[in-house]
Protein backbone atom coordinates (compact mmCIF):
# COMPACT_ATOMS: atom_id res chain seq x y z
CA UNK A 1 0.00 0.00 0.00
CA UNK A 2 1.44 3.38 -1.07
CA UNK A 3 0.90 6.65 0.75
CA UNK A 4 1.26 9.96 -0.99
CA UNK A 5 1.87 12.57 1.69
CA UNK A 6 1.79 16.26 1.04
CA UNK A 7 4.15 18.63 2.81
CA UNK A 8 1.79 19.28 5.71
CA UNK A 9 1.16 15.59 6.23
CA UNK A 10 4.86 14.86 6.17
CA UNK A 11 5.44 17.54 8.75
CA UNK A 12 2.73 16.11 10.99
CA UNK A 13 4.16 12.64 10.52
CA UNK A 14 7.71 13.64 11.48
CA UNK A 15 6.50 15.78 14.35
CA UNK A 16 4.61 12.80 15.78
CA UNK A 17 7.59 10.52 15.30
CA UNK A 18 9.98 12.97 16.96
CA UNK A 19 7.55 13.43 19.83
CA UNK A 20 7.16 9.71 20.58
CA UNK A 21 10.63 8.42 19.68
CA UNK A 22 14.10 9.41 20.87
CA UNK A 23 15.84 10.79 17.78
CA UNK A 24 19.32 12.18 17.24
CA UNK A 25 21.09 13.14 14.00
CA UNK A 26 24.87 13.20 13.40
CA UNK A 27 26.81 14.73 10.52
CA UNK A 28 29.63 12.87 8.78
CA UNK A 29 32.06 14.27 11.34
CA UNK A 30 30.05 12.32 13.94
CA UNK A 31 28.79 15.49 15.62
CA UNK A 32 25.25 16.12 16.81
CA UNK A 33 23.29 18.41 14.47
CA UNK A 34 19.88 17.63 15.92
CA UNK A 35 18.34 15.92 18.92
CA UNK A 36 14.77 15.95 20.05
CA UNK A 37 13.96 16.53 23.70
CA UNK A 38 13.34 12.84 24.38
CA UNK A 39 16.81 11.77 23.26
CA UNK A 40 18.58 14.72 24.92
CA UNK A 41 16.81 14.03 28.22
CA UNK A 42 17.62 10.31 28.02
CA UNK A 43 21.32 11.20 27.77
CA UNK A 44 21.03 13.81 30.53
CA UNK A 45 21.35 16.93 28.39
CA UNK A 46 19.14 19.76 27.25
CA UNK A 47 18.57 20.14 23.52
CA UNK A 48 20.92 23.13 23.48
CA UNK A 49 23.71 21.36 25.40
CA UNK A 50 23.76 18.30 23.20
CA UNK A 51 24.25 20.14 19.91
CA UNK A 52 27.72 19.83 18.32
CA UNK A 53 28.85 17.19 20.82
CA UNK A 54 30.88 14.39 19.26
CA UNK A 55 29.50 10.88 19.27
CA UNK A 56 32.42 9.78 21.47
CA UNK A 57 30.99 11.97 24.23
CA UNK A 58 28.25 9.39 24.72
CA UNK A 59 30.55 6.34 24.67
CA UNK A 60 32.79 4.69 27.26
CA UNK A 61 36.55 4.65 26.60
CA UNK A 62 36.70 0.88 26.29
CA UNK A 63 34.37 1.05 23.30
CA UNK A 64 35.86 4.22 21.77
CA UNK A 65 39.33 2.68 21.49
CA UNK A 66 38.10 -0.67 20.24
CA UNK A 67 38.09 -1.94 16.67
CA UNK A 68 34.32 -2.33 16.89
CA UNK A 69 33.87 1.43 17.19
CA UNK A 70 35.72 2.14 13.94
CA UNK A 71 33.89 -0.71 12.20
CA UNK A 72 30.59 0.70 13.42
CA UNK A 73 31.16 4.07 11.73
CA UNK A 74 32.76 2.55 8.62
CA UNK A 75 29.66 0.46 8.12
CA UNK A 76 27.44 3.54 8.32
CA UNK A 77 29.52 6.08 6.40
CA UNK A 78 31.40 3.92 3.90
CA UNK A 79 29.34 0.79 3.41
CA UNK A 80 26.13 2.79 3.89
CA UNK A 81 24.56 0.01 5.95
CA UNK A 82 22.08 0.47 8.75
CA UNK A 83 22.78 -0.83 12.25
CA UNK A 84 20.39 -2.21 14.84
CA UNK A 85 21.32 -3.57 18.26
CA UNK A 86 21.26 -3.09 22.00
CA UNK A 87 23.95 -0.54 22.88
CA UNK A 88 25.51 0.84 26.05
CA UNK A 89 26.03 4.58 26.22
CA UNK A 90 27.20 7.15 28.77
CA UNK A 91 24.94 9.81 30.22
CA UNK A 92 26.17 13.29 31.08
CA UNK A 93 26.66 12.27 34.73
CA UNK A 94 28.71 9.22 33.71
CA UNK A 95 25.99 6.67 34.37
CA UNK A 96 25.29 3.94 31.90
CA UNK A 97 22.16 3.94 29.76
CA UNK A 98 21.05 0.97 27.68
CA UNK A 99 19.34 1.72 24.38
CA UNK A 100 17.66 -0.40 21.76
CA UNK A 101 18.83 1.58 18.75
CA UNK A 102 18.58 1.81 15.00
CA UNK A 103 21.20 3.80 13.05
CA UNK A 104 20.78 4.44 9.36
CA UNK A 105 22.60 6.70 6.90
CA UNK A 106 20.82 9.50 5.02
CA UNK A 107 21.91 9.71 1.35
CA UNK A 108 21.72 12.68 -1.00
CA UNK A 109 20.94 12.54 -4.72
CA UNK A 110 24.57 11.58 -5.45
CA UNK A 111 24.20 8.58 -3.12
CA UNK A 112 26.58 10.13 -0.62
CA UNK A 113 26.03 9.96 3.12
CA UNK A 114 25.22 13.37 4.51
CA UNK A 115 23.84 12.42 7.94
CA UNK A 116 23.31 9.49 10.26
CA UNK A 117 20.01 9.24 12.10
CA UNK A 118 19.61 7.27 15.29
CA UNK A 119 16.25 6.25 16.71
CA UNK A 120 16.35 4.64 20.12
CA UNK A 121 14.31 3.28 23.00
CA UNK A 122 15.57 3.54 26.56
CA UNK A 123 15.54 -0.05 27.89
CA UNK A 124 17.74 0.58 30.93
CA UNK A 125 14.98 -0.13 33.43
CA UNK A 126 13.86 -3.18 31.52
CA UNK A 127 17.42 -4.51 31.39
CA UNK A 128 17.90 -3.84 35.11
CA UNK A 129 14.73 -5.75 35.92
CA UNK A 130 15.89 -8.54 33.63
CA UNK A 131 19.34 -8.57 35.25
CA UNK A 132 17.85 -8.63 38.76
CA UNK A 133 15.46 -11.36 37.75
CA UNK A 134 18.23 -13.46 36.23
CA UNK A 135 20.25 -13.06 39.43
CA UNK A 136 17.24 -14.17 41.49
CA UNK A 137 16.77 -17.16 39.20
CA UNK A 138 20.46 -18.02 39.57
CA UNK A 139 20.22 -17.64 43.35
CA UNK A 140 17.13 -19.83 43.31
CA UNK A 141 18.99 -22.36 41.21
CA UNK A 142 21.83 -22.38 43.75
CA UNK A 143 19.30 -22.79 46.55
CA UNK A 144 17.72 -25.72 44.71
CA UNK A 145 21.13 -27.33 44.33
CA UNK A 146 21.88 -26.89 48.05
CA UNK A 147 18.49 -28.26 49.01
CA UNK A 148 18.90 -31.20 46.66
CA UNK A 149 22.36 -31.99 48.07
CA UNK A 150 21.12 -31.67 51.64
CA UNK A 151 18.10 -33.82 50.84
CA UNK A 152 20.25 -36.54 49.28
CA UNK A 153 22.50 -36.58 52.34
CA UNK A 154 19.53 -36.93 54.67
CA UNK A 155 18.03 -39.66 52.51
CA UNK A 156 21.40 -41.47 52.67
CA UNK A 157 21.41 -41.21 56.47
CA UNK A 158 17.82 -42.40 56.59
CA UNK A 159 18.66 -45.37 54.38
CA UNK A 160 21.59 -46.34 56.61
CA UNK A 161 19.40 -46.01 59.71
CA UNK A 162 16.79 -48.26 58.18
CA UNK A 163 19.50 -50.82 57.39
CA UNK A 164 20.61 -50.66 61.03
CA UNK A 165 17.01 -51.10 62.14
CA UNK A 166 16.75 -54.16 59.91
CA UNK A 167 19.97 -55.59 61.41
CA UNK A 168 18.77 -54.89 64.95
CA UNK A 169 15.48 -56.53 64.13
CA UNK A 170 17.34 -59.63 62.89
CA UNK A 171 19.40 -59.65 66.10
CA UNK A 172 16.21 -59.42 68.13
CA UNK A 173 14.80 -62.39 66.27
CA UNK A 174 17.97 -64.41 66.96
CA UNK A 175 17.87 -63.45 70.64
CA UNK A 176 14.21 -64.39 70.80
CA UNK A 177 14.95 -67.82 69.30
CA UNK A 178 17.68 -68.39 71.92
CA UNK A 179 15.20 -67.40 74.62
CA UNK A 180 12.68 -69.87 73.24
CA UNK A 181 15.29 -72.66 73.29
CA UNK A 182 16.31 -71.77 76.87
CA UNK A 183 12.69 -71.80 77.95
CA UNK A 184 12.28 -75.25 76.39
CA UNK A 185 15.36 -76.45 78.31
CA UNK A 186 13.95 -75.04 81.54
CA UNK A 187 10.64 -76.78 80.85
CA UNK A 188 12.48 -80.04 80.30
CA UNK A 189 14.49 -79.54 83.51
CA UNK A 190 11.28 -78.83 85.42
CA UNK A 191 9.87 -82.10 84.15
CA UNK A 192 12.97 -83.88 85.45
CA UNK A 193 12.68 -82.10 88.80
CA UNK A 194 9.06 -83.18 88.99
CA UNK A 195 10.16 -86.76 88.31
CA UNK A 196 12.80 -86.52 91.04
CA UNK A 197 10.19 -85.18 93.42
CA UNK A 198 7.90 -88.14 92.66
CA UNK A 199 10.73 -90.60 93.22
CA UNK A 200 11.63 -88.87 96.46
CA UNK A 201 8.05 -89.20 97.65
CA UNK A 202 8.05 -92.87 96.71
CA UNK A 203 11.31 -93.50 98.58
CA UNK A 204 9.97 -91.64 101.54
CA UNK A 205 6.88 -93.85 101.50
CA UNK A 206 8.99 -97.02 101.19
CA UNK A 207 11.25 -95.85 104.00
CA UNK A 208 8.22 -95.43 106.22
CA UNK A 209 7.09 -98.96 105.46
CA UNK A 210 10.55 -100.35 106.12
CA UNK A 211 10.78 -98.53 109.43
CA UNK A 212 7.43 -99.95 110.50
CA UNK A 213 8.51 -103.49 109.51
CA UNK A 214 11.98 -103.70 111.07
CA UNK A 215 11.39 -101.65 114.14
CA UNK A 216 14.68 -100.76 115.75
CA UNK A 217 16.76 -102.57 113.16
CA UNK A 218 17.74 -99.85 110.70
CA UNK A 219 20.21 -101.70 108.48
CA UNK A 220 17.89 -101.41 105.48
CA UNK A 221 17.87 -97.68 105.72
CA UNK A 222 21.45 -97.42 104.43
CA UNK A 223 20.16 -98.25 100.96
CA UNK A 224 17.40 -95.67 101.27
CA UNK A 225 19.87 -93.05 102.49
CA UNK A 226 22.14 -93.77 99.55
CA UNK A 227 19.30 -93.33 97.09
CA UNK A 228 18.18 -90.16 98.82
CA UNK A 229 21.76 -88.81 98.48
CA UNK A 230 21.71 -89.54 94.78
CA UNK A 231 18.40 -87.79 94.38
CA UNK A 232 19.70 -84.80 96.34
CA UNK A 233 22.72 -84.58 94.07
CA UNK A 234 20.52 -84.81 91.00
CA UNK A 235 18.28 -82.09 92.37
CA UNK A 236 21.32 -79.92 93.07
CA UNK A 237 22.61 -80.41 89.53
CA UNK A 238 19.21 -79.67 88.03
CA UNK A 239 18.99 -76.56 90.15
CA UNK A 240 22.42 -75.48 88.86
CA UNK A 241 21.25 -76.10 85.29
CA UNK A 242 18.17 -73.97 85.92
CA UNK A 243 20.35 -71.19 87.34
CA UNK A 244 22.62 -71.24 84.30
CA UNK A 245 19.66 -71.14 81.94
CA UNK A 246 18.10 -68.29 83.88
CA UNK A 247 21.40 -66.38 83.58
CA UNK A 248 21.35 -67.02 79.85
CA UNK A 249 17.77 -65.79 79.65
CA UNK A 250 18.70 -62.66 81.58
CA UNK A 251 21.63 -62.06 79.24
CA UNK A 252 19.46 -62.46 76.16
CA UNK A 253 16.78 -60.29 77.70
CA UNK A 254 19.34 -57.52 78.23
CA UNK A 255 20.38 -57.86 74.59
CA UNK A 256 16.77 -57.58 73.50
CA UNK A 257 16.29 -54.50 75.66
CA UNK A 258 19.50 -52.93 74.34
CA UNK A 259 18.48 -53.73 70.79
CA UNK A 260 15.04 -52.26 71.43
CA UNK A 261 16.63 -49.09 72.79
CA UNK A 262 18.95 -48.88 69.78
CA UNK A 263 16.00 -49.54 67.48
CA UNK A 264 14.02 -46.75 69.10
CA UNK A 265 17.00 -44.40 68.81
CA UNK A 266 17.39 -45.25 65.14
CA UNK A 267 13.68 -44.76 64.55
CA UNK A 268 13.81 -41.38 66.33
CA UNK A 269 16.85 -40.37 64.28
CA UNK A 270 15.05 -41.43 61.11
CA UNK A 271 12.01 -39.45 62.17
CA UNK A 272 14.14 -36.34 62.75
CA UNK A 273 15.75 -36.74 59.35
CA UNK A 274 12.37 -37.17 57.73
CA UNK A 275 11.11 -34.01 59.42
CA UNK A 276 14.22 -32.15 58.27
CA UNK A 277 13.68 -33.55 54.80
CA UNK A 278 10.10 -32.29 54.83
CA UNK A 279 11.36 -28.82 55.79
CA UNK A 280 13.85 -28.96 52.92
CA UNK A 281 11.16 -29.86 50.44
CA UNK A 282 8.97 -27.10 51.84
CA UNK A 283 11.80 -24.71 51.01
CA UNK A 284 11.99 -26.40 47.62
CA UNK A 285 8.33 -25.62 47.04
CA UNK A 286 8.84 -21.99 48.10
CA UNK A 287 11.80 -21.74 45.74
CA UNK A 288 9.77 -23.23 42.92
CA UNK A 289 7.03 -20.65 43.56
CA UNK A 290 9.68 -17.92 43.57
CA UNK A 291 11.00 -19.16 40.24
CA UNK A 292 7.49 -19.14 38.88
CA UNK A 293 6.99 -15.55 40.03
CA UNK A 294 10.27 -14.51 38.42
CA UNK A 295 9.28 -16.22 35.21
CA UNK A 296 6.03 -14.24 35.28
CA UNK A 297 8.00 -11.01 35.72
CA UNK A 298 10.21 -11.92 32.78
CA UNK A 299 7.14 -12.65 30.68
CA UNK A 300 5.55 -9.31 31.59
CA UNK A 301 8.76 -7.42 30.86
CA UNK A 302 9.13 -8.97 27.45
Amino acid sequence: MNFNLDTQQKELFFNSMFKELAVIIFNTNKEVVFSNEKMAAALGYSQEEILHLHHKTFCFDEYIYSENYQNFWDSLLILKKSFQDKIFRKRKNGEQIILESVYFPVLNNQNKVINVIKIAFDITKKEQILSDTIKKVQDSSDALTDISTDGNEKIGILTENLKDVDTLSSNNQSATKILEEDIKKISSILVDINSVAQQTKLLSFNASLEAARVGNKASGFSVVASEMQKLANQTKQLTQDIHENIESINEQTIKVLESSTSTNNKINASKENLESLLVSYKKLLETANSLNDEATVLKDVN
Side-chain angles (χ1 to χ4, degrees), residues 4-18:
N4 293 318
L5 303 177
D6 57 30
T7 303
Q8 184 178 4
Q9 288 174 322
K10 288 180 181 179
E11 184 177 354
L12 290 172
F13 174 79
F14 284 111
N15 286 340
S16 297
M17 183 179 68
F18 288 166

Side-chain angles (χ1 to χ4, degrees), residues 28-294:
T28 53
N29 291 324
K30 307 168 190 174
E31 297 172 339
V32 178
V33 294
F34 171 81
S35 173
N36 67 352
E37 184 179 358
K38 205 174 191 69
M39 176 63 81
L43 293 169
Y45 297 90
S46 67
Q47 285 182 277
E48 292 75 18
E49 287 178 319
I50 203 168
L51 285 177
H52 310 302
L53 293 179
H54 195 277
H55 182 264
K56 289 182 179 180
T57 308
F58 316 114
C59 301
F60 292 97
D61 290 345
E62 183 180 358
Y63 179 55
I64 294 171
Y65 298 110
S66 69
E67 186 178 349
N68 290 335
Y69 185 72
Q70 186 60 46
N71 292 338
F72 165 74
W73 278 107
D74 287 348
S75 178
L76 289 167
L77 299 177
I78 299 174
L79 300 179
K80 305 169 186 177
K81 291 183 178 180
S82 61
F83 172 89
Q84 178 178 354
D85 203 355
K86 178 174 67 176
I87 61 175
F88 299 87
R89 293 293 181 260
K90 182 171 65 174
R91 290 170 54 86
K92 181 181 178 181
N93 60 7
E95 292 180 353
Q96 176 179 271
I97 182 173
I98 305 173
L99 301 170
E100 186 69 42
S101 301
V102 177
Y103 288 81
F104 55 90
V106 178
L107 308 178
N108 61 14
N109 293 332
Q110 287 75 42
N111 202 36
K112 289 185 178 182
V113 177
I114 57 174
N115 291 108
V116 172
I117 298 179
K118 169 185 174 182
I119 300 174
F121 299 93
D122 184 357
I123 59 171
T124 305
K125 185 176 181 181
K126 176 181 175 181
E127 287 293 310
Q128 184 61 53
I129 293 174
L130 183 60
S131 177
D132 292 343
T133 300
I134 290 173
K135 185 179 183 305
K136 289 180 182 178
V137 171
Q138 290 174 338
D139 291 343
S140 297
S141 177
D142 292 339
L144 286 174
T145 300
D146 292 341
I147 290 169
S148 176
T149 301
D150 184 60
N152 286 334
E153 289 177 356
K154 286 183 171 59
I155 289 174
I157 294 172
L158 179 61
T159 301
E160 290 300 319
N161 285 341
L162 291 177
K163 288 181 180 179
D164 291 341
V165 169
D166 183 62
T167 300
L168 291 170
S169 178
S170 298
N171 292 339
N172 284 343
Q173 291 178 355
S174 297
T176 301
K177 288 181 180 179
I178 293 174
L179 282 173
E180 290 177 352
E181 292 174 359
D182 287 340
I183 290 171
K184 288 180 180 179
K185 290 179 182 179
I186 292 174
S187 297
S188 177
I189 291 171
L190 290 175
V191 171
D192 292 339
I193 291 174
N194 185 60
S195 176
V196 169
Q198 294 298 325
Q199 292 179 43
T200 303
K201 287 181 180 179
L202 181 60
L203 284 173
S204 177
F205 178 71
N206 289 334
S208 298
L209 291 178
E210 184 67 17
R213 185 175 67 80
V214 299
N216 294 328
K217 297 179 180 180
S219 59
F221 285 101
S222 61
V223 176
V224 176
S226 177
E227 292 300 320
M228 291 291 289
Q229 185 66 40
K230 290 180 181 179
L231 289 172
N233 289 334
Q234 290 179 7
T235 302
K236 182 179 179 180
Q237 183 61 46
L238 291 172
T239 302
Q240 183 64 33
D241 290 343
I242 291 174
H243 177 76
E244 291 177 356
N245 277 275
I246 289 175
E247 287 293 327
S248 177
I249 290 172
N250 285 334
E251 183 178 337
Q252 295 302 318
T253 301
I254 290 172
K255 288 182 178 180
V256 170
L257 290 174
E258 289 177 348
S259 295
S260 297
T261 301
S262 297
T263 301
N264 287 334
N265 290 338
K266 291 293 183 182
I267 291 173
N268 289 334
S270 298
K271 183 180 178 182
E272 290 175 1
N273 276 284
L274 279 173
E275 290 175 350
S276 180
L277 195 60
L278 288 173
V279 171
S280 294
Y281 280 105
K282 183 178 179 181
K283 291 180 180 177
L284 187 64
L285 178 61
E286 292 174 353
T287 303
N289 289 334
S290 177
L291 283 173
N292 184 62
D293 292 341
E294 297 304 328

